C-alpha cells in the first residue's frame, strides 16, 4: 500500500472522529443529553451510525473525546522534564501544565458537565481520564526507574497517586463551576499527598 494512501486514510479517520466528537458536543448543548442519539450525532457528522461505532463505543465517549488530548500533553510534559528532577516533582509539574491549559482552553467541559451532570457520565469520564493518566505516567516512570512496574512498584504507585490527585481536583473544580483555580486545587492535592506520606515515614 502506498505511503501516501496510508497517511490519507489515517487523516480521514482522524477527521471523521473529530467531526463526530464536535457534533456530539454541539447537539447535546443544543438539544439536551437524553434527546440526542447516536444516530443524530452520526447524521450531523455526515456518516452512518455504524461508522460512529468504529470510532466510539458510546455516546459519552464521543461527548468527552476532546479530553483525550490531555494524555498527549502529560506525556509531552513528562518527556521534557529534566533527567535529574525527582519523579514526583516531575509528574506534579507536568500535571500542573496540563491543568493550566484545561482551565484556559477547555471551558466546554464545565458547560457539558453542568448540562449532563449524570452520575453515569461522570463515572465514565473520570474512569477514562484516570486510566489515560495512569498509563502515561506509568510508562514514563518505568523508563525513569529502569524497570517495569511488575518488578519495581514505584511506577504504578506514583501513577496511581498522581491520577487520584488530578481526579479529586477536577471533581472539586467542576463542583465549583470553574470558579476556583484548578492549578491551585492540584497543588493542594499534591501537597496533601506529600504530607500524608511524610506522616507515615
Amino acid at each position: 500500500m502506498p505511503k501516501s494512501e496510508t497517511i490519507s486514510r489515517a487523516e480521514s479517520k482522524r477527521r471523521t472522529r473529530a467531526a463526530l466528537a464536535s457534533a456530539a458536543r454541539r447537539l447535546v448543548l443544543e438539544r439536551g443529553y437524553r434527546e440526542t442519539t447516536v444516530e443524530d450525532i452520526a447524521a450531523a457528522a455526515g456518516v452512518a451510525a455504524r461508522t460512529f461505532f468504529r470510532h466510539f463505543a458510546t455516546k459519552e465517549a464521543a461527548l468527552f473525546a476532546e479530553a483525550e488530548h490531555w494524555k498527549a500533553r502529560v506525556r509531552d510534559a513528562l518527556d521534557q522534564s529534566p533527567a535529574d528532577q525527582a519523579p514526583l516533582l516531575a509528574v506534579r509539574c507536568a500535571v500542573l501544565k496540563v491543568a493550566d491549559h484545561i482551565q484556559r482552553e477547555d471551558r466546554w467541559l464545565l458547560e457539558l458537565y453542568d448540562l449532563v451532570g449524570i452520575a453515569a457520565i461522570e463515572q465514565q469520564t473520570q474512569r477514562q481520564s484516570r486510566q489515560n493518566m495512569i498509563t502515561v505516567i506509568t510508562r514514563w516512570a518505568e523508563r525513569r526507574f529502569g524497570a517495569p512496574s511488575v518488578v519495581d512498584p514505584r511506577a504504578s504507585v506514583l501513577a496511581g497517586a498522581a491520577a487520584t490527585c488530578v481526579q479529586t481536583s477536577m471533581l472539586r473544580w467542576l463542583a465549583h463551576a470553574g470558579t476556583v483555580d484548578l492549578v491551585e486545587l492540584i497543588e493542594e492535592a499534591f501537597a496533601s499527598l506529600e504530607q500524608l506520606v511524610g506522616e507515615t515515614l
Side-chain angles (χ1 to χ4, degrees):
M1 180 182 297
K3 185 176 181 180
S4 60
E5 185 177 350
T6 302
I7 294 174
S8 177
R9 288 184 178 180
E11 177 63 16
S12 177
K13 289 177 65 175
R14 186 195 68 77
R15 291 182 179 180
T16 299
R17 183 179 178 84
L20 286 166
S22 177
R25 197 163 63 251
R26 176 172 56 80
L27 290 178
V28 166
L29 290 173
E30 290 176 354
R31 304 178 182 179
Y33 171 72
R34 297 186 184 281
E35 292 73 23
T36 301
T37 67
V38 166
E39 289 74 18
D40 294 334
I41 296 169
V47 298
R50 64 178 179 278
T51 300
F52 175 95
F53 290 109
R54 291 177 187 154
H55 294 273
F56 300 105
T58 65
K59 177 172 63 176
E60 295 79 22
L63 190 59
F64 291 94
E66 285 292 325
E68 291 179 0
H69 71 264
W70 301 344
K71 178 179 179 180
R73 288 183 179 276
V74 171
R75 182 178 59 243
D76 292 344
L78 285 172
D79 289 343
Q80 294 168 14
S81 63
D84 60 348
Q85 191 173 41
L88 180 58
L89 179 57
V91 171
R92 182 175 182 165
C93 291
V95 167
L96 288 174
K97 287 181 181 179
V98 177
D100 183 60
H101 175 85
I102 289 173
Q103 67 179 359
R104 286 188 293 104
E105 306 294 337
D106 291 337
R107 305 296 291 187
W108 57 266
L109 183 61
L110 291 167
E111 190 173 7
L112 283 178
Y113 187 88
D114 181 61
L115 181 66
V116 298
I118 302 170
I121 296 180
E122 178 182 308
Q123 292 170 6
Q124 188 273 346
T125 306
Q126 291 299 324
R127 185 164 55 244
Q128 178 179 333
S129 299
R130 177 182 172 82
Q131 189 53 54
N132 284 342
M133 187 77 64
I134 288 175
T135 299
V136 169
I137 295 175
T138 298
R139 289 175 180 172
W140 172 84
E142 286 177 335
R143 295 195 300 272
R144 176 62 68 90
F145 295 134
S149 56
V150 292
V151 175
D152 186 339
R154 289 180 296 172
S156 293
V157 171
L158 173 60
T164 297
C165 286
V166 173
Q167 182 178 20
T168 300
S169 302
M170 284 291 294
L171 287 175
R172 293 179 68 194
W173 185 63
L174 291 170
H176 286 84
T179 58
V180 291
D181 191 295
L182 179 58
V183 170
E184 291 182 2
L185 291 176
I186 292 180
E187 285 274 28
E188 182 182 345
F190 271 90
S192 297
L193 171 63
E194 292 171 353
Q195 180 182 359
L196 289 169
V197 170
E199 290 175 351
T200 60
L201 294 179

